[in-house]
Amino acid sequence: MTVPRDFEEPAPSRPDLVVGREEELRAARGRLAGGGSVLLHGPAGIGKSTVLGALAAEFAPTARTVLRCSATESESHVPFLALADLLGLVLEDVVTDLPVAQRTALESALTGRESTLRREGLALRLAVLSAFRALAANGPVLVVADDLQWLDPASAEILGFAARRLDGAPVRMLCALRTEGPEYDRALRAVPSESEAVRIGPLTRVQTATMLDRRGHGDLSRATVREIHRTSGGNPLFALELGRALAESPTPPRPGEPLPVPTSLRDLVLNRLEVLSEEARRTLLVACVGARPTQALLRAAGRVDAEAETARAAELGLLTGDPQASAVRFAHPLVSAALYAGASASERRAAHEALSRAASDPIERARHLALATTGTDPRVARRLADAASVARDRGAPSVAASLGLLAARHTPVDGVPGPDDSRLRAAEDAITAGEADLARDIAHDVLARAVLPAHRVRAWMVVIEAAGQAIGEVDAAFPQALADAGEDPGLLALVHYQLAWRDLVVQGDFGRGREEAAHAATLAGRAGDRRTEVLALALQAQAETLAGHPDAPSTIRRALREPQDPRVACHHNGAGAVRFRWLLMSDRLAEARSAVTTLLREVRRRGMAESEVHYLRFLAETELRSGHCGRALTLAGESLTLARDAGIGEGAGAMQASLAEAAGGDVERARELAREAVDRAEEDGDAVYLSRALAALGHAELMAGEARAAAETLRRVGRLEAGAGITDPARGRWQGDLAEALVRSGEPEEARRVVDSARANALRLGREGVLADLDRAEALVSAARGDHDGAVALLTSARERQARLGHALEEARTVFAMACLGTARSGTSYEEAAQLFRRCRATVWLRRVEEASRASRAPEPGPAVPPVAYLEALASMERQVAGLVMEGATNREIAGRLFVSVKTVEATLTRVYRKLAIRSRVDLVRLAAGQGRR
């Protein structure tokens, strides 16, 4: 279909209409903006109608005529109903222009007279085709059809006939179709064959949480949201119904039990269950309570006809996969949840009791025994405590937390250990698993009734730990915890350790934080609590490292001495993490990478979610320093995704992702992430990460060419770090960026003062990498003063040191600065800088080199417009894609280099063509050759 000139740029969409559909919307918009048609498809409840409505709202203003229909299952037998919906309101506008036979056929069909399709089939087909052409003659037409699977067969056949013959007419179709069911193939015939098929898939866990929050379910805990996502399979309709059922339920589900499933969803997924026998339904109930049900497990649980009964369930669509296979898999998680919700309490207990004997895994046996038992039972409680220990050793702290809560429920009040011991251990396991909301709820439950000081202090520690970076929000917990601790040195050590964190994070006082951490270590040593002693020493070493204190190395050695608690040894606040930071700041990149890789492997084995978030970020920082920008971008993205999923370390994750984007991704994205990091740090009152987030924002602003804004942002970093007593310039390495921003802003004298101040601390602490960066910054100052020879000497020295340290990205930056001085002076070319940036996959820097190289060449005579002038009208991603096309890259190559999908590249190119008023890749290549004309 040709692209009509009358289609305009669509109106901006409402972002609140859809959640997590950016890729799908981008693909659909690209096709619709180009005059094509779109077919949205996916299973029931997946959100097709929501996406359809958002797109229709965007593109309706660009059409002269909008025709709509929305079929229903109950009316799908009525012939020509969809045609009546589409053309009924515009019939008078087109009917007078139709030949008599066509007019009669169309009026008969729309008014329901006789069997028009049989008697006047060709006339009716031609009438609908003529009607569309007549409407299109007056301007673009948009056809919006929802639930295409319920389209009556007569309308579907005629719409397909017209769609196949509308070439050249400005008619677009925007349709939604359910992918399952026999109606699918028939409905496909109603849309143009060249329609863009856009699959609407399940939402991620984070997207499900966002959707629930927008629909008034923001009070649900993260653990509950995770269970909703698992049960719904990411289906928005199912997730919303589950959220509503939870809100209406007087009591939440107990640990280990599935979510309550509303009747509406039970009917939707279990309407085929009535065909099964009573025994088959019991077999499915046993399967749905098993963690990994198999035919052998069902037989061991007493279901003697399991194979035949599950085969019948598979025929009905309740189970999926090969009926002869050993594993038993439900077609959708909701089927399993609905089966359990529909069973009586006695039926559930019977299923759990059968599996408590049949399951081979000790964790599963203990869990089923607990769910089959009512009331307290010390024997069951002991079994559960043992199973929780096994889960902990397997690296499944979330499972251990669930088992601990079950153990507390079955422990008598006067038991030893008591129920509060089990609850607190469950809360600590929940913290390890990254389930801060659950941990906080358990701790408050313990505080509501506990009287033992040890229990109360442990509960306060969980409350403080669960606050994460927002530790300032739980200030009231500290005096209460100190009062409960009394004179007990072991309990006081716990409280003073958290007070040290408060001094660092909230007050930004590294001196006071160091003193509190040292005091906590002394108290813990007196109490014989090596675990808390190591944590306190690690925190003391961290404060000393950042403040440039000379005792930092010896404190790290004290923290690394034996004995060590294995969980503390790999914790992100443990001595191993502090040693990694010391290695990185000391420019020992290979050792730092080895250390953090080992730590990451261990915390993954143990299921320590928060530590995994931080170590992924640490590894991304190491790779970025080493010049592996693509790897850094991937790792930072993984860290941020996990952080958002668990609700921990989101600001720090956004900060590191911003730095990675500023080198190997997109500058605008880097600025967005840095602003997010700054906002989170300010919201949490986090003085530690606020300065680092601002340093990332200043770097992104510098990369975006906003030197004055970058200078102001980075000046603020300097004030914050001076107030906090941070003197080590290797912490954020922002001083070189500030000096460069000041030089670009015409303030070389202030830039010189920044370099001199940072150099003094770098020399005192032996920070060679920082000294090399400062040499480059000083070279810019010298060049601004006209001392080009001095600048070349400084840059040459900086490059040699950066190459020796393995700072590949910084070396490339230095070579770029040398090239900007001119080949005659520096002996370095833009091509050499480009080669180094390509090796680093530093796409942002590579584009800067290419722009500088083009600017350095005199423009050729003639009316041709330089390619860069055309590209100024494009957004950042559009410029990247267009530039790579100009280099001759294919769409797949571009997708690989920019870490996006091929569909994203295609949609971006569509926008580029429209903005530059061109039609193809050939036109872009002509621009690169200087042959383009305005």
Side-chain angles (χ1 to χ4, degrees):
M1 182 179 290
T2 57
V3 180
R5 294 182 177 274
D6 335 27
F7 283 129
E8 304 168 359
E9 187 75 16
S13 63
R14 287 178 51 199
D16 60 315
L17 286 178
V18 290
V19 173
R21 303 300 188 190
E22 291 79 10
E23 283 292 327
E24 294 93 332
L25 287 170
R26 192 177 296 116
R29 285 171 181 145
R31 180 55 63 95
L32 290 169
S37 296
V38 170
L39 175 65
L40 308 173
H41 63 97
I46 204 67
K48 302 181 297 296
S49 297
T50 302
V51 176
L52 181 94
L55 289 168
E58 285 186 48
F59 283 89
T62 72
R64 173 66 180 271
T65 306
V66 179
L67 307 177
R68 299 176 185 268
C69 73
S70 183
T72 62
E73 183 177 12
S74 61
E75 298 173 338
S76 59
H77 65 284
V78 181
F80 308 119
L81 187 59
L83 283 184
D85 288 341
L86 290 171
L87 299 175
L89 296 178
V90 297
L91 184 61
E92 294 182 0
D93 298 336
V94 297
V95 73
T96 56
D97 297 329
L98 299 179
V100 175
Q102 293 182 22
R103 183 191 317 160
T104 303
L106 185 58
E107 289 177 339
S108 298
L110 299 189
T111 55
R113 296 183 209 155
E114 306 180 19
S115 181
T116 305
L117 183 62
R118 185 175 65 252
R119 285 197 308 107
E120 301 170 346
L122 180 58
L124 179 56
R125 291 178 177 86
L126 294 174
V128 173
L129 177 60
S130 299
F132 278 130
R133 285 175 172 164
L135 292 170
N138 296 322
V141 177
L142 177 65
V143 179
V144 182
D146 198 5
D147 284 319
L148 213 61
Q149 72 277 2
W150 304 130
L151 215 63
D152 64 274
S155 295
E157 199 280 334
I158 292 175
L159 277 178
F161 174 87
R164 291 190 295 271
R165 291 163 175 80
L166 282 171
D167 285 347
V171 178
R172 293 171 292 186
M173 294 185 71
L174 174 58
C175 308
L177 170 63
R178 186 182 300 180
T179 49
E180 68 263 13
E183 302 85 4
Y184 178 68
D185 291 336
R186 185 191 70 214
L188 278 179
R189 296 196 296 268
V191 298
S193 57
E194 76 277 9
S195 297
E196 176 86 4
V198 178
R199 179 180 177 273
I200 309 299
L203 298 177
T204 66
R205 192 182 299 174
V206 173
Q207 292 163 350
T208 299
T210 302
M211 179 193 66
L212 289 168
D213 184 47
R214 291 185 184 178
R215 300 297 181 92
H217 299 302
D219 55 341
L220 296 172
S221 70
R222 290 183 183 273
T224 301
V225 171
R226 278 195 290 273
E227 186 60 23
I228 288 176
H229 178 262
R230 187 198 66 78
T231 304
S232 68
N235 186 295
L237 173 64
F238 297 171
L240 288 171
E241 286 296 301
L242 291 168
R244 182 179 60 78
L246 276 171
E248 295 174 354
S249 175
T251 56
R254 297 188 301 179
E257 291 185 349
L259 299 174
V261 179
T263 305
S264 59
L265 290 186
R266 287 190 221 170
D267 294 343
L268 180 64
V269 299
L270 298 181
N271 54 4
R272 290 153 289 186
L273 197 63
E274 297 176 358
V275 180
L276 292 175
S277 66
E278 184 68 25
E279 288 301 312
R281 287 199 289 271
R282 287 183 183 144
T283 295
L284 289 186
L285 179 60
V286 174
C288 83
V289 300
R292 291 172 295 276
T294 63
Q295 298 289 354
L297 180 65
L298 294 177
R299 287 194 299 272
R303 310 314 303 168
V304 293
D305 293 327
E307 284 87 350
E309 290 162 350
T310 54
R312 178 59 178 148
E315 291 174 5
L316 296 172
L318 295 167
L319 300 178
T320 188
D322 183 0
Q324 305 303 318
S326 173
V328 177
R329 295 187 181 90
F330 286 91
H332 191 281
L334 189 62
V335 176
S336 173
L339 271 167
Y340 192 89
S344 66
S346 60
E347 289 172 331
R348 295 179 188 178
R349 284 196 299 272
H352 285 298
E353 185 177 0
L355 287 178
S356 71
R357 297 187 301 268
S360 59
D361 185 82
I363 292 177
E364 281 301 293
R365 286 200 303 270
R367 185 176 73 88
H368 290 301
L369 179 61
L371 294 172
T373 305
T374 57
T376 60
D377 187 328
R379 181 181 62 90
V380 174
R382 284 193 299 273
R383 288 272 299 275
L384 287 164
D386 292 342
S389 179
V390 172
R392 216 171 284 123
D393 291 339
R394 288 181 181 177
S398 180
V399 174
S402 175
L403 293 168
L405 289 177
L406 284 171
R409 198 174 81 203
H410 290 285
T411 301
V413 176
D414 57 352
V416 179
D420 282 344
D421 287 286
S422 297
R423 291 189 184 95
L424 287 167
R425 191 58 197 266
E428 290 159 357
D429 284 329
I431 287 286
T432 301
E435 298 180 7
D437 292 345
L438 175 60
R440 187 185 302 110
D441 291 344
I442 297 171
H444 283 302
D445 183 41
V446 171
L447 287 167
R449 56 171 174 267
V451 293
L452 291 177
H455 288 165
R456 294 189 62 79
V457 172
R458 281 178 67 191
W460 286 123
M461 294 305 98
V462 170
V463 170
I464 294 168
E465 191 78 23
Q469 299 301 117
I471 194 172
E473 296 178 0
V474 292
D475 264 357
F478 287 101
Q480 298 181 67
L482 284 169
D484 286 329
E487 300 298 322
D488 187 314
L491 298 180
L492 284 171
L494 294 172
V495 182
H496 281 281
Y497 171 68
Q498 294 295 350
L499 281 169
W501 273 112
R502 180 184 177 278
D503 287 332
L504 262 65
V505 173
V506 179
Q507 305 298 332
D509 189 337
F510 279 67
R512 178 63 183 162
R514 174 183 177 273
E515 292 173 6
E516 280 285 6
H519 183 46
T522 301
L523 288 168
R526 190 188 312 163
D529 180 0
R530 179 60 177 164
R531 178 184 185 279
T532 303
E533 183 184 16
V534 169
L535 284 170
L537 287 170
L539 181 54
Q540 178 185 341
Q542 182 173 335
E544 290 171 348
T545 298
L546 296 178
H549 197 284
D551 290 347
S554 64
T555 306
I556 293 174
R557 285 194 294 271
R558 286 174 60 200
L560 288 170
R561 287 177 194 153
E562 296 295 338
Q564 291 283 328
D565 182 321
R567 298 178 191 279
V568 174
C570 63
H571 193 274
H572 62 278
N573 288 329
V578 177
R579 177 176 175 270
F580 156 77
R581 177 58 60 190
W582 174 264
L583 290 170
L584 188 66
M585 293 172 67
S586 301
D587 302 307
R588 294 158 67 175
L589 295 183
E591 293 175 76
R593 181 185 295 106
S594 176
V596 73
T597 302
T598 301
L599 290 166
L600 178 60
R601 187 184 305 117
E602 182 64 13
V603 298
R604 280 176 165 167
R605 187 183 72 81
R606 294 181 177 274
M608 299 169 68
E610 184 174 5
S611 293
E612 181 179 359
V613 167
H614 289 291
Y615 286 141
L616 279 169
R617 178 168 57 82
F618 291 171
L619 187 54
E621 184 178 0
T622 308
E623 297 294 359
L624 187 61
R625 191 75 54 79
S626 303
H628 305 149
C629 299
R631 173 81 170 141
L633 195 61
T634 300
L635 289 164
E638 289 179 15
S639 174
L640 183 56
T641 299
L642 284 176
R644 286 176 170 161
D645 191 22
I648 48 180
E650 294 179 74
M655 177 270 297
Q656 189 59 49
S658 170
L659 292 171
E661 287 282 352
D666 179 75
V667 172
E668 286 306 313
R669 175 67 175 152
R671 283 202 291 191
E672 290 172 9
L673 287 165
R675 289 193 185 103
E676 177 188 339
V678 171
D679 291 344
R680 286 190 179 278
E682 290 179 332
E683 182 181 334
D684 293 341
D686 184 351
V688 171
Y689 270 110
L690 177 58
S691 60
R692 293 210 64 188
L694 285 167
L697 177 58
H699 180 70
E701 289 170 338
L702 183 65
M703 293 298 293
E706 299 176 2
R708 292 191 181 279
E712 189 53 43
T713 299
L714 294 171
R715 284 187 184 113
R716 186 182 172 193
V717 177
R719 293 192 295 270
L720 285 171
E721 291 201 351
I726 298 173
T727 61
D728 194 332
R731 187 211 181 204
R733 300 176 185 254
W734 50 269
Q735 294 85 353
D737 281 347
L738 174 55
E740 182 175 342
L742 290 168
V743 169
R744 290 191 192 182
S745 302
E747 300 180 64
E749 290 306 317
E750 184 181 350
R752 166 76 72 180
R753 291 194 295 271
V754 168
V755 170
D756 289 345
S757 174
R759 189 186 297 281
N761 284 319
L763 286 168
R764 176 174 60 86
L765 297 168
R767 302 304 194 209
E768 283 200 69
V770 173
L771 289 170
D773 297 347
L774 294 174
D775 281 348
R776 184 178 63 231
E778 186 177 352
L780 298 179
V781 175
S782 298
R785 290 173 164 180
D787 181 7
H788 294 285
D789 292 338
V792 169
L794 285 165
L795 290 171
T796 302
S797 171
R799 180 185 184 181
E800 291 173 354
R801 188 176 304 188
Q802 288 160 344
R804 176 166 46 82
L805 294 172
H807 291 189
L809 181 61
E810 294 304 322
E811 180 190 358
R813 287 183 64 178
T814 301
V815 171
F816 180 32
M818 295 172 75
C820 290
L821 289 177
T823 304
R825 291 191 178 92
S826 66
T828 305
S829 67
Y830 286 116
E831 180 54 34
E832 184 178 356
Q835 287 177 354
L836 291 175
F837 283 128
R838 284 194 196 97
R839 192 178 303 159
C840 293
R841 298 182 72 177
T843 55
V844 176
W845 282 103
L846 186 59
R847 288 190 293 274
R848 290 190 62 182
V849 173
E850 291 167 348
E851 289 169 3
S853 177
R854 284 195 298 267
S856 69
R857 296 193 294 266
E860 297 179 4
V865 181
V868 68
Y870 285 95
L871 301 186
E872 287 173 355
L874 304 179
S876 175
M877 175 61 80
E878 293 166 353
R879 284 199 302 272
Q880 295 178 54
V881 172
L884 290 171
V885 169
M886 289 176 172
E887 294 178 8
T890 66
N891 286 2
R892 187 168 298 279
E893 290 170 342
I894 295 170
R897 289 176 67 176
L898 300 183
F899 308 103
V900 297
S901 68
V902 175
K903 283 186 175 293
T904 299
V905 174
E906 292 170 350
T908 304
L909 275 176
T910 299
R911 295 194 300 272
V912 169
Y913 297 159
R914 186 170 65 251
K915 289 184 178 181
L916 299 184
I918 59 178
R919 296 185 178 183
S920 68
R921 302 169 70 92
V922 175
D923 293 336
L924 267 179
V925 174
R926 286 173 179 162
L927 287 180
Q931 298 172 9
R933 299 289 184 273
R934 286 295 188 192

